[in-house]
Amino acid sequence: MELPLLKEVVIILGLSVLIILAFQRIKMPSILGFLITGMVAGPNGLKLISASHEVEVLSEMGVIFLLFIIGIEFSIKGLVKVKQTVLFGGFMQVGGTIGLTFLIALVLGLTVPQAIFMGFLISMSSTAIVLKLLHERGQMTTPHGRIALAILIFQDIIVVPMILITPLLAGNGGNLWMTLLILLGKFVLIIGLLIVLARYVVPLLLQHVVKSRSRELFILTIVVICFATAWLTSSVGLSLALGAFFAGLIISESEYSHQATANILPFREIFISFFFVSVGMLIDLGYFFDHFLILILFTLGVILLKAFVVLISVLVMRYPMRTALVSAFTLFQVGEFAFLLATIGMRNSLLTQEVYQNFLAISVLTMGLTPFLAGYATTMADWMIRALLPSKIRSRLIKFQNKKKKPEESLISKLHDHLIVIGFGINGRNVARTAKQAGIPYVAIELDPEVFKQAKDDDYPIIYGDATDELILHFVHAAEARVVVIAISDADATKMIITNLRHISETAHIIVRTRHVDEIESTLQLGADEVIPEEFETSIQIFTRVLSRYLVPFDKIQSMASHIRARNYELLSKNNDDNDFPTHLQPQVPDMVFVTLPVHRASSKMVGKTIIDSELKSKFNVTVLAVRRNNRYITQITPQMKIETDDMLYLFGSPQKIAEVNRYFILE
């Protein structure tokens, strides 16, 4: 008996493995490999896949899991912070794209309804591709990452009214305003329901599930929440992807969000591959090669149009030019929801078969180009700024951007031998607080308008600007700074800042926070003095606590940690077992441990007994060093001291004896 869809799954995954392996050798993105798989195996290629509709269903599940995880990592508080960008930035991007496309389509001979509908199609960007790329590169929290997410959320919402308007454009609509009003009411009710679920229902449910200690039950609960919320939004006319994103926001408010992400990731990786394959299956290779040149020209036109609109939209929101350019190179493609719209347009005769094939080819081409242009977005943005904007113009833009933000120019002009903090997130803010308490003069640089405004309201000395621009660095007197701390999550921007800093000053001590270990060497080569990788610092903190439990002296632990940092974490990054750690720093761990033993009412063998009657010393050779009772510590321990309920005993002895004590008093 052959299972339905099994052949298609084997073909898709097997062919994807071979193509992506080949792409990895030539350093091509895996997304492009999935697109090629769909083109080769699809109905317009070798016709290896016959169940196209079923593959599309699997692809929808991939989008659901992708948006679900993005929602978990973003949180409701993060969404509230970008609400202005969602509404204002999203409206400008979608409205601007529709307007320009409408004018161009009229020139090309399309009717007014067809021109408006074509604007609908072109205005959509790819939620799945963009968010996957940003997530893989750790750029979700960067300014351009937040802008992209905000605009994509707006697109996911606005696609619903577009679907309702499409029949009206073709003259087949009913009472549009009543339909929109009903939809708005449903949307408000769902948002209210989701808020109640996030605050009260889901945390309580997950708490009971976790207490069951069943991993299977936890995974099942998370998947049910994800799919149930997606189904709920879909049932009222909203998109499945938007519902999945809302489900992620609900989970993000609980303390179990990290475990939920870990459990869902394998599902996402499998099912999202079907999405990219299904996109590749749409294109007709014969039509594509017959009209290759004209399709390339149309594709370039769409890229330039969308990039221009995004650029203007981000600049109007008062973001720096570099952020605007990177955002433009990220959101230039035509997205997956446009395919849904195009299908509805075909049913309502708003698209001819030829225009539909042109649209499919342009969409797939822009999607295929996304990994390349987005991957080099920062490099292209830096080149364009220097090539197209002279230093005088950039200087005026900086002054204009800071004009209404009231930077403390008198304070800035007096800076000397100071600290510069680049990036005012959690790490940057903590460094600033410490500097303030220590009396160290400092100034911070931040390019996120919301973060900047909050810092100004809190009276931090901060200026608004992009630190990759040398003019900003000159403005904060980087040549006279003693220390520069770079605490941003954009690896490319970090490298550019270091390069520019070294053009200005060879003496400033540059400390860089990085996310990944493999960035250490290249960052040091550019001119950084110290690189602090989050991965290794976490390992050091864990290891120091492990050593403390083995009674290694504190000064020896600190010496070990200092040695590891002085060697740029080389000992932790080695793959071999060579032990070149200095002999005098290697700990000689004694065969003794120091533990705490809580005395609960259930420990009837111990409660009410004296220290000597408990036989801790005589039977187990374990010494009671101290007792904590009612928030005070008793260090004068006598044999006649009675052990009371809720005491905390501090014991010292061998690991074997401590284990015997635990079994005797606790487990039995």
Side-chain angles (χ1 to χ4, degrees):
M1 177 180 176
E2 184 178 348
L3 293 175
L5 200 61
L6 181 60
K7 182 191 75 172
E8 280 74 12
V9 171
V10 172
I11 291 173
I12 289 173
L13 296 182
L15 190 58
S16 297
V17 168
L18 296 176
I19 292 177
I20 292 174
L21 274 175
F23 274 35
Q24 289 293 325
R25 289 184 175 274
I26 56 178
K27 298 183 178 180
M28 300 280 277
S30 58
I31 291 177
L32 191 58
F34 287 122
L35 292 173
I36 298 297
T37 299
M39 295 170 65
V40 171
N44 298 310
L46 299 179
K47 296 181 172 60
L48 300 177
I49 300 173
S50 56
S52 301
H53 176 70
E54 288 78 2
V55 173
E56 290 177 8
V57 172
L58 294 178
S59 73
E60 285 287 346
M61 295 178 67
V63 175
I64 288 174
F65 282 124
L66 174 65
L67 269 294
F68 179 62
I69 290 179
I70 296 298
I72 291 178
E73 296 184 346
F74 201 68
S75 82
I76 293 177
K77 293 179 180 178
L79 182 60
V80 171
K81 287 181 180 179
V82 297
K83 61 181 183 298
Q84 183 177 353
T85 309
V86 171
L87 297 175
F88 185 68
F91 179 79
M92 286 193 62
Q93 184 273 325
V94 172
T97 305
I98 292 174
L100 285 179
T101 304
F102 172 77
L103 296 176
I104 295 172
L106 287 180
V107 173
L108 294 176
L110 272 66
T111 64
V112 171
Q114 289 175 332
I116 295 175
F117 183 70
M118 188 57 66
F120 287 176
L121 298 180
I122 301 300
S123 66
M124 296 290 106
S125 299
S126 176
T127 301
I129 292 180
V130 171
L131 294 188
K132 181 173 174 60
L133 289 173
L134 292 173
H135 187 266
E136 288 177 347
R137 294 168 182 170
Q139 297 177 349
M140 288 300 303
T141 58
T142 61
H144 69 269
R146 289 194 292 268
I147 290 170
L149 178 60
I151 292 177
L152 290 169
I153 290 172
F154 183 86
Q155 291 178 2
D156 286 354
I157 296 173
I158 203 67
V159 73
V160 178
M162 288 180 179
I163 292 173
L164 297 174
I165 292 172
T166 297
L168 186 66
L169 291 175
N172 304 322
N175 192 336
L176 175 65
W177 293 110
M178 181 58 68
T179 305
L180 288 176
L181 185 61
I182 294 173
L183 181 65
L184 179 62
K186 291 180 179 179
F187 183 78
V188 172
L189 287 176
I190 285 180
I191 293 297
L193 177 62
L194 294 178
I195 292 174
V196 173
L197 290 173
R199 290 187 177 180
Y200 306 108
V201 179
V202 171
L204 184 62
L205 173 64
L206 290 180
Q207 185 179 357
H208 286 292
V209 170
V210 169
K211 285 182 179 179
S212 71
R213 300 182 183 276
S214 171
R215 185 171 182 268
E216 294 80 4
L217 180 60
F218 183 82
I219 296 175
L220 180 62
T221 304
I222 295 298
V223 172
V224 167
I225 292 173
C226 171
F227 277 74
T229 310
W231 169 77
L232 180 63
T233 57
S234 176
S235 64
V236 299
L238 300 174
S239 70
L240 288 168
L242 188 63
F245 180 76
F246 284 156
L249 292 178
I250 292 173
I251 299 296
S252 72
E253 296 302 302
S254 76
E255 57 189 0
Y256 312 111
S257 58
H258 298 294
Q259 184 60 42
T261 302
N263 289 335
I264 294 298
L265 273 176
F267 295 99
R268 185 199 71 176
E269 296 303 324
I270 291 295
F271 284 104
I272 198 64
S273 63
F274 289 103
F275 166 76
F276 297 115
V277 170
S278 68
V279 172
M281 289 167 55
L282 292 172
I283 192 167
D284 186 338
L285 291 177
Y287 184 87
F288 176 79
F289 288 116
D290 290 340
H291 302 82
F292 179 75
L293 290 179
I294 190 67
L295 290 176
I296 294 298
L297 290 175
F298 276 133
T299 301
L300 291 176
V302 169
I303 292 173
L304 291 174
L305 185 150
K306 293 199 69 174
F308 174 75
V309 173
V310 173
L311 176 71
I312 298 301
S313 301
V314 177
L315 286 177
V316 170
M317 290 188 290
R318 301 184 70 83
Y319 280 90
M321 177 62 73
R322 184 176 186 273
T323 301
L325 286 170
V326 174
S327 300
F329 289 129
T330 303
L331 294 170
F332 66 85
Q333 71 290 125
V334 179
E336 55 273 5
F337 287 121
F339 298 137
L340 174 62
L341 272 174
T343 303
I344 298 173
M346 285 286 291
R347 288 202 298 263
N348 289 275
S349 302
L350 285 173
L351 292 179
T352 64
Q353 185 62 37
E354 182 181 0
V355 173
Y356 180 65
Q357 279 301 321
N358 288 338
F359 163 74
L360 289 180
I362 292 170
S363 302
V364 174
L365 283 173
T366 56
M367 286 182 172
L369 288 172
T370 300
F372 299 101
L373 294 184
Y376 292 98
T378 54
T379 303
M380 292 187 294
D382 293 330
W383 177 84
M384 292 179 69
I385 289 173
R386 281 159 177 74
L388 303 178
L389 293 179
S391 59
K392 289 184 178 180
I393 296 178
R394 299 207 311 274
S395 179
R396 289 175 183 174
L397 281 174
I398 292 168
K399 290 180 179 179
F400 172 76
Q401 289 171 333
N402 285 281
K403 183 178 180 181
K404 295 184 178 180
K405 299 178 174 66
K406 299 178 181 179
E408 303 293 339
E409 294 192 13
S410 59
L411 176 63
I412 299 294
S413 63
K414 296 177 182 178
L415 284 176
H416 176 71
D417 195 34
H418 56 293
L419 163 68
I420 299 175
V421 180
I422 299 175
F424 214 68
I426 295 176
N427 291 314
R429 185 176 286 260
N430 288 336
V431 171
R433 287 173 179 165
T434 306
K436 184 177 182 180
Q437 293 175 0
I440 298 173
Y442 74 95
V443 64
I445 304 173
E446 176 58 53
L447 58 76
D448 188 310
E450 297 297 326
V451 175
F452 171 81
K453 183 178 182 300
Q454 184 61 51
K456 289 296 291 183
D457 293 342
D458 295 337
D459 293 326
Y460 284 101
I462 186 170
I463 72 159
Y464 178 80
D466 187 349
T468 61
D469 195 321
E470 284 191 31
L471 293 173
I472 291 289
L473 298 177
H474 283 297
F475 187 72
V476 295
H477 302 272
E480 302 176 53
R482 180 186 296 194
V483 180
V484 179
V485 175
I486 305 176
I488 60 177
S489 55
D490 189 333
D492 294 327
T494 296
K495 294 175 181 179
M496 180 63 68
I497 292 170
I498 296 171
T499 302
N500 290 339
L501 276 170
R502 285 303 176 221
H503 289 162
I504 298 171
S505 172
E506 289 289 343
T507 58
H509 190 84
I510 301 176
I511 303 174
V512 178
R513 185 218 72 177
T514 184
R515 296 180 70 249
H516 301 296
V517 176
D518 54 10
E519 297 170 357
I520 296 177
E521 191 62 32
S522 60
T523 306
L524 289 171
Q525 290 176 355
L526 285 173
D529 296 288
E530 294 183 59
V531 181
I532 303 173
E534 293 178 357
E535 295 174 349
F536 279 167
E537 277 300 317
T538 302
S539 300
I540 289 177
Q541 291 299 320
I542 294 173
F543 189 58
T544 55
R545 284 160 175 75
V546 170
L547 292 180
S548 67
R549 300 304 300 171
Y550 280 93
L551 303 182
V552 178
F554 180 75
D555 61 336
K556 188 168 290 190
I557 295 176
Q558 292 299 104
S559 180
M560 292 175 65
S562 299
H563 179 79
I564 292 173
R565 293 186 179 108
R567 299 282 296 275
N568 292 322
Y569 307 88
E570 182 180 308
L571 292 174
L572 298 183
S573 61
K574 283 189 174 181
N575 295 323
N576 54 48
D577 296 328
D578 295 340
N579 186 9
D580 60 350
F581 206 84
T583 306
H584 69 283
L585 290 181
Q586 294 178 6
Q588 302 298 321
V589 180
D591 190 25
M592 302 293 282
V593 294
F594 178 77
V595 300
T596 57
L597 178 65
V599 180
H600 301 300
R601 190 174 300 277
S603 304
S604 57
K605 294 180 181 179
M606 189 177 296
V607 175
K609 291 185 178 181
T610 62
I611 296 294
I612 191 170
D613 291 339
S614 69
E615 299 181 318
L616 287 171
K617 184 66 177 177
S618 60
K619 184 174 182 178
F620 300 102
N621 196 26
V622 171
T623 303
V624 180
L625 299 179
V627 177
R628 189 181 74 183
R629 180 178 296 165
N630 298 327
N631 293 325
R632 66 187 184 91
Y633 290 88
I634 304 172
T635 56
Q636 298 296 328
I637 306 298
T638 62
Q640 288 73 35
M641 173 183 281
K642 280 191 176 183
I643 300 172
E644 300 179 2
T645 303
D646 296 330
D647 279 352
M648 181 72 74
L649 306 184
Y650 292 82
L651 308 180
F652 181 77
S654 68
Q656 294 82 2
K657 295 299 181 181
I658 291 294
E660 291 179 16
V661 169
N662 185 61
R663 286 194 297 271
Y664 183 72
F665 288 105
I666 303 299
L667 301 181
E668 291 187 359

